[in-house]
Amino acid sequence: GNVIRSQGDLASAQAHFDAALAIFQAGLGRDPRSVRWRRGRALVLIKVGQLETARGDLPAAIARFRTAGEIADAVGAEHPDDRQLQDLRFTAHLQLGDGLSLQNSGAAALAEFRQALAIAEALIAGAPDDLESQNDVFVVRDRIGMAKSAMGDSAGALADLRANLTSMAGLAARDPTNVDWASNTAFGHQQVGTTLLASGDTSGALAEHKAALAIWTDLAARDGSSADRQENVAAGHINVGEALAAPGDS
């Protein structure tokens, strides 16, 4: 299903996901309390929801994500130390929040993102050096900031995005060789810059976009063959140009 979806054959992908769902449903029919079957069903529901999002069927996708979240929360509550189940809970709530955001249901999306953040922060509390959870926290805090921005809470969004940037920049400073943390830091500067520009603070936006561009440029220099890095640099130049062209800067 995943490979076929990446190739663009959504109908065939749906058929394979449906086949997987049927297997998990049959397993649940034999053993309704099975962690394996419940976890598998929730995972496939998320994949089906992603497929429905790609097709533009947001109500169906949201329903899938919500069901997956309910299953994952129930199983996760029974096994709080199972990392895979907690990751599944995080993904379900994050995907549901994304779907609700696309549907312009800002308050509901924000609630889901906050739930995902609580899960990721709980994982960090148990393992402070867990890089995956650190990244999850960065991702969902960004979602929270952007959800607030979409709801008109520019000040709240900016506060969250700046706090997120400060946290990630601190991690990047601890290990300058970690390209993922450096990339996240650049993205954090970009998000703060975009929010400042939307609020009319062109000089602040320009400073943030220049900081992002400097990091993107450094990362591209480290890996000259990466088209993604080059594209990031190009996007950085565009963002700086937009900030310079906006009223208030020249």
Side-chain angles (χ1 to χ4, degrees):
N2 285 334
V3 174
I4 293 173
R5 188 181 69 176
S6 70
Q7 296 172 346
D9 189 349
L10 302 186
S12 294
Q14 180 74 60
H16 283 279
F17 290 145
D18 286 344
L21 269 178
I23 292 169
F24 290 124
Q25 292 280 28
L28 286 169
R30 297 188 298 271
D31 184 2
R33 304 301 302 168
S34 167
V35 173
R36 172 185 295 178
W37 300 131
R38 284 186 288 168
R39 177 170 53 201
R41 180 172 180 243
L43 179 61
V44 178
L45 285 171
I46 290 171
K47 293 184 182 299
V48 172
Q50 292 169 338
L51 195 69
E52 288 166 337
T53 300
R55 287 203 302 250
D57 190 351
L58 286 178
I62 288 168
R64 301 282 193 178
F65 295 142
R66 181 169 282 116
T67 300
E70 291 169 352
I71 295 169
D73 282 344
V75 185
E78 297 170 12
H79 303 275
D81 296 327
D82 187 317
R83 174 57 191 261
Q84 285 188 332
L85 290 175
Q86 301 310 314
D87 285 343
L88 184 62
R89 292 180 62 220
F90 173 84
T91 301
H93 286 287
L94 185 69
Q95 291 290 310
L96 178 53
D98 285 344
L100 290 166
S101 290
L102 290 171
Q103 199 182 49
N104 296 317
S105 300
L110 193 56
E112 294 300 326
F113 291 144
R114 284 174 171 156
Q115 180 67 22
L117 178 60
I119 294 166
E121 289 180 332
L123 289 171
I124 288 178
D129 295 327
D130 184 340
L131 302 186
E132 182 179 349
S133 294
Q134 294 281 3
N135 188 70
D136 287 345
V137 166
F138 177 81
V139 167
V140 76
R141 280 180 176 166
D142 178 73
R143 297 289 212 287
I144 289 171
M146 298 315 292
K148 287 183 178 181
S149 180
M151 295 170 66
D153 183 6
S154 297
L158 192 56
D160 283 331
L161 292 171
R162 276 181 166 152
N164 204 24
L165 170 58
T166 298
S167 177
M168 183 52 63
L171 289 173
R174 282 169 45 189
D175 182 4
T177 66
N178 189 311
V179 295
D180 290 332
W181 287 352
S183 181
N184 283 346
T185 300
F187 183 72
H189 281 295
Q190 176 184 297
Q191 293 291 74
V192 171
T194 299
T195 304
L196 286 170
L197 190 61
S199 69
D201 184 353
T202 54
S203 60
L206 180 61
E208 295 295 337
H209 284 313
K210 282 183 175 179
L213 176 58
I215 298 171
W216 292 132
T217 301
D218 176 66
L219 291 173
R222 297 190 211 178
D223 184 4
S225 64
S226 172
D228 288 339
R229 298 298 185 203
Q230 294 298 326
E231 188 173 17
N232 288 336
V233 172
H237 281 294
I238 291 170
N239 290 332
V240 169
E242 289 178 341
L244 286 167
D249 286 294
S250 60

